[in-house]
Amino acid sequence: MLQNKLFTKILMIFLLPALGTFLFTSLMVYEKVKVFDQIKSIDTSLNYMKNVQQLMDSLQKERSISAIYLLSKKFKYNLNNQRLESNQNINNIKKFFINNRIENSKKIEQQLEELYTLRNAIDRFSIKPYDAINKYIYINKLLLDSTITIKLEHSSSLFTRTYLHLNNLLTIKEYAEIEITFMTMINEEKFDQIRIHNDLINAQAVQKIHQNEFLLRASNEDIYKYKILIENPFSTQLAFIREEFKIVSLEDVIYVKNWWEIFRSRTFNLNEMYDFSLLNAKEELLAYEEQSNNKQQLSFLFLFLSIIITIFLLYLLQSITKKEEKSFNEVDTQHEVYKLLNKTNKILLKIKEEKVLFNGLCYMISKNKNMSFALICKGDKKIHANSSPLKDYVSQKINTPIIYNKSLIAKVFDSGEGIIINTFEKTEASILASVARKYNLKSAAAFPIIKFGKVYAVLIIYSNKLSFFNNEIEILFNNMINDVSHTLEKIAYEDMRKKQEDELRIASYAFETNEPMLITNKSSHIIKANQAFCNVLGYSLQELVKQTPNMFKSNYHDSDFFKNIWNDLSLHGSWSGELYNYNKKQELLALRSTITAIKDSKGEVTHYLAQYLDISKEKEKEKALEFIATHDNLTKLPNRFLLMDRLKQALLKAGRIKNYACILFIDLDNFKETNDTMGHEIGDKLLILVANTLKRTLRKEDTVARIGGDEFIILAQNLSIDEQEAKAYAKALANKIKAAINDIKKIDQHTNIVTPSIGITLFNNNKQKASEIIKEADKAMYQAKNSGKNTSSFYEQT
């Protein structure tokens, strides 16, 4: 005994230096391997940066063409071609995401999928150019962010500055493209010019910030190249043009004929600069790889020598440790089983669901180092186990009657007693016997799980050791099974209690609130309603019971509306929205409604609960506010806002059917003199009288609006497809209006001196803007005034 201890000590004296050498060389090799992983990861990142640049470049072009297309409805062919290029780059970036881990890749892919929705909106002209541009900007921003937050397998500061200054170049290029896009929109009336100016200022500021960061981070070679390609050729011209944009319109900029070429040349050079920097980074990476390769070869040589020495010494130690291993394993096995049972007892106190219990139990057993697999099978042959090929194999075989009848599961269900298998070499008692060698299954134990005195399920544990389940371990597992049975019964009692509580809760739902509530059975027949519901709808409870909610149905909603309600109830279990129903007096009520499907423990619908809130008064207020916003307060005629909306619709309609429409711009002559001599009260009465006269004179489909002071505008559509006929109708209408206003002789005993001057303009397409049509009629009205007033005049283009 003493000799063995001395031999061991001497052996360890020689072994420790060898292990130290082995450890040192292993660390050297590991560090070099890490370096190559790092190089591979850096190369992947640089490739990603290139893919991002190509995708952003194609999306920038698509964004510019889309903006032009939305503004002019031109260049559809160019837009389609550019989308094909973008799609190719999108596919490249998606392939990259499949093979590499990139932070926010899911979010980027989601936005790229939504790009198709954006394109559809652009094709249908259902999105504003400004909104479309910002959606493209958002996608490119996600791509930019991903180049900063890219996750490498091995972090390194070697290329951190390179990533950052490449990101700077991408950002400068993106905001240079944004600046070009917004500069083309700066004098478009349809856009918010203040917002466009702010966006321009922001784009210029971002470019300046990232240019400064690039010049701080980049190498001298990159900085020199940047000055040659970007700073020297363009800085002076860009500063001058940007300054001009602050003080004059786009048309007055000195370089208006070539500012686009200047800005576009700069973005082209930015691409060239990016390619130059990326190529430099690649070359630097190749040099670093070659240097690391030489060091790695030397490390492998040292590692080989240390392995030879270590293997020799370990062989000597093997014979000594082998004897101790057997006794240690026996103690360790018992210790591991005790730890497993201890963990099981802890979770049994917390678990409240059978599925969680079974899955958790199988998971903990399978994670034990002495176990290979565990499963629980219920009487319905449903298998609970960790997802694995073994689970799939058992689930498939168990449904074959011949195999099932010979299995451990069937035998335990039949006998109600546990079964131990010490080896699979000579038995076919288990479904997994044929694959035991493949999955390292060497012994097994099957235990019945009892619930309320009957075998409810069977637990089968497969060990990776022969004859693992001795008497002591079998007793321990039987104790665990007893605890599981107790937990199952506790869960069953708890489920029964909750079910009873649910039934009581359902019965009291409709009577515990002041909100109108209704409960139906699953076939939608009313079984309960609270008093609040009866008060709102005007029915008694006796009148409601056994009826369906169809008794309240109005004609406000179509059939698709109710189909959507049932779809939501089926898919999501609830629906919320506004519902218009009749009360008992057949008065239409606006109700904010929530309908919830009440389900039993199996997920089957048993009842529907409907909650309502009467919002009829709120709806009436909304209509009143809407009228105030769109009508003149004095005359109750449509105001300028509503007129412009109807005129835009008329332009679209005229563009489709080519039928002429007209605008009559009416200004009351001598109205100021009437106000000054007779007073504002008489002036207001006159305006109301004129408004009513105009409404009586026009067709129902025509629009008459007061746009301010003594100015009225009439929109008349569907005149004729023939220009001369339309012109004759417009002239006749103007004469009719003039005669009607001239017939106003008195206003409260005061003689009326007001006459109309009427300007007329025709249109039969949508090539002009609504504001331009109004301006034409306005000019024609002034022609009428200059012709002596109290007359009408057609707009004639000069």
Side-chain angles (χ1 to χ4, degrees):
M1 184 71 177
L2 183 62
Q3 184 178 4
N4 289 337
K5 290 183 178 180
L6 180 62
F7 175 75
T8 303
K9 290 180 180 179
I10 294 172
L11 191 61
M12 291 300 296
I13 290 173
F14 286 97
L15 182 62
L16 286 175
L19 289 174
T21 303
F22 174 73
L23 179 62
F24 175 73
T25 54
S26 297
L27 288 174
M28 288 178 60
V29 172
Y30 177 70
E31 287 297 325
K32 300 309 173 188
V33 171
K34 281 180 62 178
V35 167
F36 278 98
D37 289 341
Q38 189 181 85
I39 290 171
K40 181 180 178 182
S41 182
I42 292 171
D43 186 59
T44 299
S45 299
L46 292 177
N47 290 334
Y48 178 66
M49 299 285 280
K50 182 61 179 177
N51 285 338
V52 167
Q53 184 238 356
Q54 291 173 343
L55 177 55
M56 287 183 62
D57 187 64
S58 62
L59 289 177
Q60 287 161 358
K61 294 175 183 176
E62 183 178 332
R63 177 177 63 204
S64 297
I65 299 173
S66 296
I68 295 172
Y69 177 67
L70 286 172
L71 289 170
S72 67
K73 297 185 179 180
K74 296 180 180 179
F75 306 108
K76 178 63 175 178
Y77 176 78
N78 305 66
L79 179 58
N80 288 337
N81 286 341
Q82 185 57 47
R83 286 175 178 175
L84 292 176
E85 179 184 333
S86 299
N87 290 342
Q88 181 61 47
N89 290 321
I90 289 170
N91 291 334
N92 292 340
I93 208 83
K94 287 182 178 179
K95 291 177 183 177
F96 192 93
F97 287 157
I98 292 172
N99 300 320
N100 302 276
R101 293 188 304 165
I102 301 296
E103 189 170 311
N104 286 334
S105 63
K106 295 295 183 185
K107 190 172 183 180
I108 294 172
E109 287 183 310
Q110 180 183 355
Q111 287 299 317
L112 291 176
E113 289 300 323
E114 292 183 6
L115 179 61
Y116 298 104
T117 304
L118 173 58
R119 288 172 174 175
N120 289 332
I122 291 171
D123 290 340
R124 298 193 307 268
F125 296 95
S126 60
I127 186 170
K128 296 180 180 178
Y130 184 86
D131 296 334
I133 289 168
N134 278 301
K135 288 184 180 291
Y136 279 106
I137 291 173
Y138 179 68
I139 295 173
N140 279 352
K141 184 178 183 300
L142 288 178
L143 291 169
L144 280 173
D145 292 344
S146 72
T147 64
I148 290 296
T149 59
I150 184 169
K151 296 292 185 182
L152 305 179
E153 294 256 347
H154 307 278
S155 61
S156 168
S157 60
L158 181 64
F159 282 82
T160 299
R161 291 171 66 89
T162 301
Y163 298 145
L164 291 175
H165 88 247
L166 285 172
N167 174 267
N168 291 143
L169 289 174
L170 282 177
T171 305
I172 294 170
K173 170 64 165 43
E174 166 65 3
Y175 281 88
E177 292 283 358
I178 292 172
E179 182 179 9
I180 293 172
T181 302
F182 284 136
M183 285 175 72
T184 61
M185 299 166 59
I186 195 167
N187 278 337
E188 290 287 342
E189 286 187 15
K190 64 177 69 177
F191 301 117
D192 185 343
Q193 293 302 310
I194 294 177
R195 181 185 289 183
I196 297 296
H197 275 285
N198 290 340
D199 289 338
L200 273 175
I201 292 170
N202 178 63
Q204 294 164 7
V206 173
Q207 292 177 69
K208 183 66 176 177
I209 291 169
H210 282 271
Q211 175 178 288
N212 293 338
E213 291 180 358
F214 171 80
L215 295 174
L216 287 174
R217 295 190 180 109
S219 65
N220 291 334
E221 185 180 4
D222 283 345
I223 293 173
Y224 177 74
K225 187 72 172 179
Y226 184 85
K227 289 184 177 180
I228 291 176
L229 288 175
I230 309 301
E231 192 168 320
N232 293 343
F234 300 109
S235 59
T236 302
Q237 297 179 76
L238 259 63
F240 180 77
I241 293 174
R242 286 170 177 169
E243 192 63 30
E244 287 292 307
F245 267 97
K246 294 179 181 178
I247 58 177
V248 297
S249 66
L250 179 63
E251 291 79 3
D252 297 328
V253 176
I254 293 175
Y255 289 110
V256 69
K257 293 184 178 179
N258 64 349
W259 76 268
W260 175 272
E261 288 80 3
I262 292 171
F263 275 74
R264 185 53 66 196
S265 297
R266 177 171 174 258
T267 57
F268 178 82
N269 285 10
L270 282 168
N271 271 341
E272 184 178 345
M273 181 67 222
Y274 184 86
D275 292 337
F276 177 80
S277 295
L278 191 63
L279 180 61
N280 280 351
K282 287 275 189 178
E283 291 175 351
E284 185 178 352
L285 183 63
L286 287 173
Y288 181 62
E289 181 179 10
E290 184 177 354
Q291 179 185 3
S292 301
N293 187 46
N294 294 333
K295 293 181 180 180
Q296 187 189 46
Q297 292 178 0
L298 184 61
S299 300
F300 274 120
L301 178 61
F302 282 115
L303 177 62
F304 177 75
L305 293 175
S306 63
I307 289 174
I308 297 298
I309 296 171
T310 304
I311 289 175
F312 176 74
L313 293 176
L314 287 175
Y315 177 76
L316 295 178
L317 283 175
Q318 184 181 11
S319 59
I320 299 173
T321 57
K322 203 168 187 179
K323 294 179 181 179
E324 300 296 328
E325 184 178 358
K326 184 176 181 180
S327 60
F328 173 79
N329 286 340
E330 291 177 356
V331 174
D332 182 63
T333 297
Q334 294 178 6
H335 177 68
E336 288 296 323
V337 173
Y338 275 111
K339 284 171 60 178
L340 173 62
L341 297 182
N342 184 44
K343 290 180 181 179
T344 304
N345 288 332
K346 288 181 179 179
I347 69 164
L348 288 178
L349 298 173
K350 301 177 182 179
I351 289 178
K352 297 181 179 180
E353 294 183 21
E354 178 185 292
K355 181 178 179 181
V356 176
L357 170 63
F358 286 169
N359 289 339
L361 189 61
C362 292
Y363 174 80
M364 287 190 297
I365 293 173
S366 299
K367 290 299 180 182
N368 187 278
K369 68 180 184 180
N370 298 308
M371 311 300 176
S372 296
F373 183 59
L375 66 87
I376 294 176
C377 180
K378 295 168 59 176
D380 58 4
K381 298 183 181 180
K382 183 177 181 180
I383 300 297
H384 293 268
N386 289 346
S387 296
S388 67
L390 285 173
K391 179 183 178 182
D392 298 337
Y393 183 84
V394 174
S395 299
Q396 179 184 2
K397 294 292 185 181
I398 201 171
N399 291 315
T400 304
I402 297 176
I403 297 176
Y404 174 76
N405 293 335
K406 295 180 179 179
S407 67
L408 283 174
I409 297 170
K411 292 178 180 179
V412 173
F413 267 114
D414 291 340
S415 66
E417 297 179 356
I419 299 174
I420 303 296
I421 297 178
N422 291 319
T423 177
F424 285 102
E425 294 295 328
K426 299 179 181 180
T427 182
E428 295 293 332
S430 172
I431 292 176
L432 296 177
S434 60
V435 294
R437 186 183 298 275
K438 178 180 179 180
Y439 292 102
N440 196 27
L441 311 178
K442 295 184 177 179
S443 60
F447 302 95
I449 299 176
I450 307 300
K451 180 179 177 182
F452 298 125
K454 295 182 179 180
V455 179
Y456 180 71
V458 175
L459 167 66
I460 304 180
I461 305 171
Y462 295 88
S463 174
N464 50 33
K465 293 183 178 181
L466 292 170
S467 302
F468 177 78
F469 297 95
N470 56 36
N471 290 336
E472 184 176 353
I473 291 178
E474 183 180 359
I475 291 171
L476 291 174
F477 275 114
N478 276 322
N479 290 335
M480 182 191 74
I481 295 299
N482 290 334
D483 292 336
V484 171
S485 296
H486 174 72
T487 302
L488 284 174
E489 292 173 357
K490 183 182 72 173
I491 291 172
Y493 284 126
E494 182 65 17
D495 288 343
M496 291 172 62
R497 183 186 65 80
K498 286 183 177 179
K499 184 177 180 181
Q500 292 172 351
E501 287 182 354
D502 288 343
E503 291 176 353
L504 291 173
R505 177 168 50 83
I506 291 173
S508 62
Y509 259 142
F511 305 97
E512 294 176 350
T513 178
N514 290 326
E515 295 181 357
M517 300 180 71
L518 182 75
I519 294 180
T520 73
N521 58 21
K522 64 180 180 181
S523 60
S524 300
H525 288 88
I526 299 170
I527 58 174
K528 291 184 181 180
N530 65 359
Q531 189 59 46
F533 182 89
C534 295
N535 292 341
V536 170
L537 272 296
Y539 292 93
S540 66
L541 181 59
Q542 291 76 14
E543 292 174 308
L544 295 174
V545 172
K546 297 184 180 180
Q547 301 295 324
T548 68
N550 285 336
M551 67 185 295
F552 318 122
K553 187 175 180 182
S554 68
N555 295 325
Y556 188 89
H557 306 290
D558 58 19
S559 59
D560 288 338
F561 176 83
F562 294 100
K563 286 180 182 178
N564 291 333
I565 292 178
W566 285 109
N567 285 338
D568 282 357
L569 289 173
S570 176
L571 294 174
H572 309 298
S574 66
W575 172 86
S576 294
E578 292 183 2
L579 193 64
Y580 289 81
N581 279 345
Y582 283 132
N583 63 10
K584 189 174 181 179
K585 297 179 180 179
Q586 293 299 297
E587 297 169 338
L588 191 64
L589 299 179
L591 304 170
R592 185 175 291 119
S593 312
T594 299
I595 304 174
T596 305
I598 301 173
K599 301 180 181 180
D600 59 19
S601 59
K602 296 180 181 179
E604 298 291 332
V605 174
T606 60
H607 300 82
Y608 293 100
L609 171 64
Q611 299 167 280
Y612 301 94
L613 180 64
D614 188 356
I615 56 172
S616 301
K617 293 182 179 179
E618 295 177 16
K619 288 296 180 181
E620 291 175 0
K621 291 179 181 178
E622 288 177 5
K623 289 181 180 179
L625 290 173
E626 182 180 354
F627 184 87
I628 291 172
T630 58
H631 288 77
D632 174 53
N633 189 43
L634 176 64
T635 63
K636 309 306 178 186
L637 294 177
N639 59 16
R640 179 183 289 272
F641 175 82
L642 184 55
L643 171 70
M644 294 300 286
D645 180 71
R646 293 182 181 177
L647 179 53
K648 289 175 183 177
Q649 297 299 320
L651 282 167
L652 292 174
K653 183 177 178 182
R656 288 195 308 270
I657 64 176
K658 305 301 180 182
N659 206 346
Y660 275 91
C662 72
I663 286 290
L664 278 66
F665 196 117
I666 304 170
D667 183 85
L668 300 181
D669 307 322
N670 307 318
F671 179 78
K672 184 176 183 304
E673 183 179 347
T674 298
N675 256 352
D676 292 343
T677 59
M678 303 180 191
H680 289 286
E681 183 178 355
I682 296 300
D684 287 347
K685 288 183 178 181
L686 175 59
L687 289 173
I688 294 171
L689 187 57
V690 169
N692 293 332
T693 300
L694 291 174
K695 284 192 290 186
R696 289 194 304 270
T697 305
L698 299 175
R699 301 173 300 177
K700 290 184 178 180
E701 64 188 64
D702 297 334
T703 297
V704 56
R706 181 189 177 209
I707 62 170
D710 59 346
E711 294 178 337
F712 296 81
I713 289 181
I714 292 172
L715 167 63
Q717 302 183 61
N718 302 319
L719 303 185
S720 175
I721 59 174
D722 180 77
E723 182 179 7
Q724 293 304 319
E725 288 182 4
K727 191 171 184 180
Y729 181 93
K731 182 66 176 178
L733 179 60
N735 290 335
K736 187 177 180 182
I737 291 170
K738 183 182 72 171
I741 295 176
N742 287 334
D743 282 343
I744 302 174
K745 304 300 182 181
K746 295 285 185 178
I747 310 104
D748 284 359
Q749 307 305 318
H750 295 280
T751 301
N752 177 30
I753 60 173
V754 167
T755 59
S757 290
I758 305 172
I760 310 169
T761 186
L762 298 174
F763 60 92
N764 72 331
N765 57 58
N766 58 353
K767 294 181 180 179
Q768 290 178 285
K769 299 178 183 176
S771 57
E772 294 173 348
I773 300 291
I774 298 296
K775 287 179 181 178
E776 289 181 359
D778 185 40
K779 289 179 180 179
M781 181 272 293
Y782 278 107
Q783 291 173 10
K785 278 190 176 293
N786 293 334
S787 298
K789 302 181 181 179
N790 196 23
T791 186
S792 61
S793 176
F794 279 92
Y795 170 75
E796 294 182 2
Q797 192 170 3
T798 58

